């Protein structure tokens, strides 16, 4: 059976294969530090072993809860922000039919998202949609105190309570949070909601293989055991005993850090399948929050090609040479559509007649790689044999493992996010939150 592969042979002249190989010892040391849990942030490394440790009973319990929500609700609102929704959304969007929302005859509920912004119109429009619909809520917050999902949950819960009695509300809400701490834990215990726990040693952006990701993915009708099986395989493929040249996580971590040192400060994650848009969003959080600290870190950006070749393509081809690309490519599309022959051939497309659209897409990818590398944009390529749960499991674990190694190469703690608190403190001060009086005074003087 095939696995995810990585190609780092198109990053010259900035970085050569010899330069990558010269990193072997250092990278192996960082991989050992990560695996042996002896480095910075080592109390947040529970995610490393998740694929191995999730038991069939735990998966069955998640499936059972998912089946209950599926049976009751036509819409399930995943309410969370950052690591508390991006992993689920990445997998669900990658696997869903692109026109899912518009097609009838569905077996599984629509998955909607709330609490990932504080847009009042977004909230109004969501509540307006749900007011005469059968819906359920999966509310997710590790800290249990995050403002965005807390506001959204309050509004959604109120709506649910106007539609159903107390017992039915309880059946339709599942909370995923800390075992003991936080307002969401207190609320869930008081109201008697079913809960799942986010382990203490797993940070938000590394939590997709806990119930945080697994429950919404199961509700959407996708196989969480296949996802975990893929991650488990990637755990083996990136283990300490795998030689550097064969370890995709080590190769990726080494190459991107070498590029960074050569002035390539921005990494653009590229896909050629719009379904992967949220994989990029998840990846941006993973790498941005893990590495962007101590005034260091590659800036993670993303584009959807070929769409964005018609908007960002010019900049990428000829703008400031501070970027490199990492392409996530799917070897073959899931469905077949052949380009039809047309007698009139007014669009001059008959030279493509009978070819698969995916073949054109692949040539667009290759042509772009040649153009961009010629234009000074190094290219790393990751290939998945197919787009399914198993390979997405491989991809997610691969990126997580590489992120841990990469953060250690950079010399930062890839498992904390102290900078995220700065805006919150100001927002609370501006809103007059009790306990923030001193900050309110200080901020008032600045305005
Ligand atoms: O990775 C992280 O820790 C964060 O981005 C969190 O996922 C995000 O802030 C949401 O936090 P919480 O789950 O505590 O509501």
């Amino acid at each position: 059976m095939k696995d995810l592969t990585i190609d780092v042979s198109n990053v010259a002249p900035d970085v050569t294969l010899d330069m990558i190989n010269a990193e072997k010892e250092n990278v192996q040391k960082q991989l050992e530090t990560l695996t042996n849990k002896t480095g910075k942030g080592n109390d947040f490394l529970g995610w490393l072993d998740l694929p191995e440790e999730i038991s069939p009973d735990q998966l069955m319990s998640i499936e059972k809860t998912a089946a209950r929500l599926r049976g009751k609700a036509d819409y399930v609102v995943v309410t969370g922000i950052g690591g508390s929704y991006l992993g689920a959304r990445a997998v669900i969007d990658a696997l869903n039919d692109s026109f899912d929302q518009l097609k009838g005859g569905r077996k599984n509920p629509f998955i909607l998202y709330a609490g990932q912004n504080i847009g009042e119109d977004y909230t109004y429009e969501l509540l307006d949609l749900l007011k005469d619909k059968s819906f359920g809520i999966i509310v997710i917050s590790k800290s249990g105190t995050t403002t965005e999902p807390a506001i959204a949950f309050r509004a959604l819960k109120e709506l649910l309570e106007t539609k159903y009695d107390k017992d039915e509300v309880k059946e339709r809400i599942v909370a995923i949070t800390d075992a003991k701490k936080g307002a969401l834990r207190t609320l869930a215990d008081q109201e008697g909601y079913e809960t799942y726990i986010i382990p203490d040693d797993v940070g938000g952006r590394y939590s997709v293989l806990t119930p945080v990701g697994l429950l919404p993915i199961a509700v959407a009708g996708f196989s969480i055991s296949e996802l975990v099986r893929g991650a488990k395989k990637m755990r083996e493929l990136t283990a300490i005993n795998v030689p550097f040249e064969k370890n995709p996580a080590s190769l990726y971590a080494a190459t991107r850090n070498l590029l960074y040192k050569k002035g390539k400060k921005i990494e653009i994650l590229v896909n050629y399948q719009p379904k992967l848009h949220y994989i990029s969003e998840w990846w941006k959080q993973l790498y941005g929050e893990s590495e962007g600290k101590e005034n260091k870190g590659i800036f993670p950006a993303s584009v959807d090609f070929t769409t964005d070749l018609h908007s960002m393509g010019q900049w990428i081809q000829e703008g400031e040479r501070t970027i490199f690309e990492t392409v996530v490519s799917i070897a073959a599309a899931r469905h077949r559509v052949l380009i039809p022959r047309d007698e009139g051939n007014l669009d001059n497309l008959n030279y493509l007649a009978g070819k698969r659209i995916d073949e054109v897409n692949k040539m667009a990818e290759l042509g772009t790689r040649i153009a961009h590398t010629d234009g000074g944009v190094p290219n790393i390529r990751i290939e998945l044999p197919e787009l399914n749960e198993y390979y997405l499991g491989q991809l997610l674990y691969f990126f997580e493992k590489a992120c841990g190694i990469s953060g250690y190469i950079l010399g930062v703690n890839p498992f904390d996010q102290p900078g995220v608190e700065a805006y919150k403190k100001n927002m609370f001060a501006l809103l007059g939150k009790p306990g923030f009086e001193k900050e309110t005074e200080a901020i008032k003087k600045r305005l």
Side-chain angles (χ1 to χ4, degrees), residues 81-84 141-143 146 204-205 285 289 417:
I81 195 165
S84 288
S141 177
K142 178 160 193 219
S143 61
T146 307
R205 60 191 176 275
Q285 185 203 358
E289 270 189 8
Q417 55 286 326

Side-chain angles (χ1 to χ4, degrees), residues 32-52:
E32 280 167 24
T33 304
L34 183 72
T35 312
N36 299 331
K37 305 187 178 175
T38 51
K40 289 181 184 170
N42 59 0
D43 43 349
F44 279 98
L45 289 176
W47 57 272
L48 273 172
D49 304 319
L50 281 173
E52 202 59 44

